[in-house]
Amino acid sequence: MRRVTHPAPAALDARHLTQAYGPMTVLRGVSLSVAPGEVVAVTGPSGSGKSTLLHLLGGLDTPQGGEVWWAGTRVDTLGTQVRAARRAGQLGLVFQHHYLLDDLNVLENVLLPCRLSGQGDEARAAGLLRRVGLAGREGTLPGVLSGGERQRVAVARALAARPAAVLADEPTGSLDRANAQAVAALLVTLAREEGAGVLLVTHDERLARHADRTLHLLDGQFTDDAPDFEPAT
Ligand SMILES: Nc1ncnc2c1ncn2[C@@H]1O[C@H](COP(=O)(O)OP(=O)(O)OP(=O)(O)O)[C@@H](O)[C@H]1O
Ligand SMILES: [Mg+2]
């Protein structure tokens, strides 16, 4: 009998996404695919639709046109609650602001996606905290951590439930340069080790250098043109 091997599905797949707000079309048929363990950066001017794209890919919004797939399953057609439950196990999210819950300690924050999805456990969460340099801080409340420490908790949380992919939107936008580099490097290193795909939205060319490839969003589509990075500050 002939054996047919199927390649692993893409961690993330967007097919012909379109999105408009009133008369303004933000995305005009955007497609992209992120393989397991691949790191893809998305750049583009302010207002070009990067966050809109990430929200659609993360299932936080439903696209007006096109399809969103996570690890081989179409999700834009699912109901909001089913999709949210699936998101907890399949996607890690890291935004510019950390969105840690202030009443939960560091370990409890990292465990949240595990509790919601039934994947991952306390030993794994503690291991990730060690990897991001926060061993011994499990019982600390986020309020007393530095900005960089909080974003490192957010990185550990994003990977805790063994997601297929991590979506990061300016994950280091609130940090100084040294901290931004350190946090981005941690995110990329850990995701590659875990075989999770990463989609990283950034204005910062130094962060985009961590990626396997970079896509530039302009006028609602990806372009091959050279990126117009904002000057480093
Ligand atoms: N919910 C919404 N309702 C109306 N307009 C929206 C909505 N979300 C985004 N927009 C508009 O869509 C455009 C793209 O916004 P988006 O936040 O995706 O840009 P961006 O590329 O992430 O920009 P930045 O680099 O400044 O974060 C903007 O003009 C924005 O005002
Ligand atoms: Mg944005």
Side-chain angles (χ1 to χ4, degrees):
M1 203 168 64
R2 212 160 79 92
R3 228 169 244 254
V4 182
T5 53
H6 297 282
L12 272 180
D13 220 346
R15 301 186 185 165
H16 311 294
L17 292 180
T18 58
Q19 190 78 346
Y21 297 109
M24 185 180 55
T25 302
V26 179
L27 302 177
R28 307 172 188 273
V30 170
S31 299
L32 74 93
S33 192
V34 180
E38 185 184 29
V39 179
V40 177
V42 173
T43 67
S46 180
S48 59
K50 303 180 299 295
S51 295
T52 300
L53 175 63
L54 232 73
H55 278 89
L56 297 181
L57 273 169
L60 303 165
D61 262 326
T62 305
Q64 288 158 359
E67 302 175 3
V68 176
W69 296 65
W70 299 340
T73 303
R74 186 170 177 189
V75 295
D76 58 281
T77 47
L78 300 176
T80 315
Q81 292 192 357
V82 175
R83 195 159 64 198
R86 193 161 294 199
R87 182 189 309 117
Q90 297 218 296
L91 289 191
L93 305 175
V94 190
F95 293 120
Q96 177 167 4
H97 301 286
H98 50 79
Y99 296 116
L100 301 176
L101 299 183
D102 288 332
D103 297 336
L104 299 183
N105 70 30
V106 162
L107 182 64
E108 289 162 346
N109 266 285
V110 173
L111 278 168
L112 262 187
C114 307
R115 301 258 189 263
L116 293 171
S117 68
Q119 293 167 223
D121 55 34
E122 203 162 313
R124 175 176 169 78
L128 283 165
L129 282 170
R130 199 163 50 240
R131 289 299 309 275
V132 300
L134 292 171
R137 307 299 294 276
E138 291 83 357
T140 305
L141 292 175
V144 304
L145 296 178
S146 73
E149 287 169 340
R150 285 187 203 125
Q151 272 316 51
R152 284 187 270 141
V153 176
V155 166
R157 178 185 56 185
L159 288 159
R162 303 183 193 281
V166 176
L167 298 175
D169 193 354
E170 300 281 357
T172 61
S174 59
L175 303 179
D176 62 59
R177 184 184 293 184
N179 263 307
Q181 279 292 342
V183 169
L186 269 171
L187 170 63
V188 165
T189 302
L190 290 176
R192 283 196 177 118
E193 282 178 21
E194 299 272 329
V198 177
L199 195 70
L200 171 69
V201 167
T202 182
H203 281 111
D204 187 338
E205 184 179 7
R206 292 177 307 257
L207 297 194
R209 284 196 203 117
H210 289 288
D212 298 307
R213 60 195 165 96
T214 300
L215 301 169
H216 313 295
L217 196 56
L218 194 67
D219 297 330
Q221 290 181 316
F222 286 132
T223 143
D224 294 330
D225 295 346
D228 190 14
F229 282 112
E230 289 175 3
T233 46

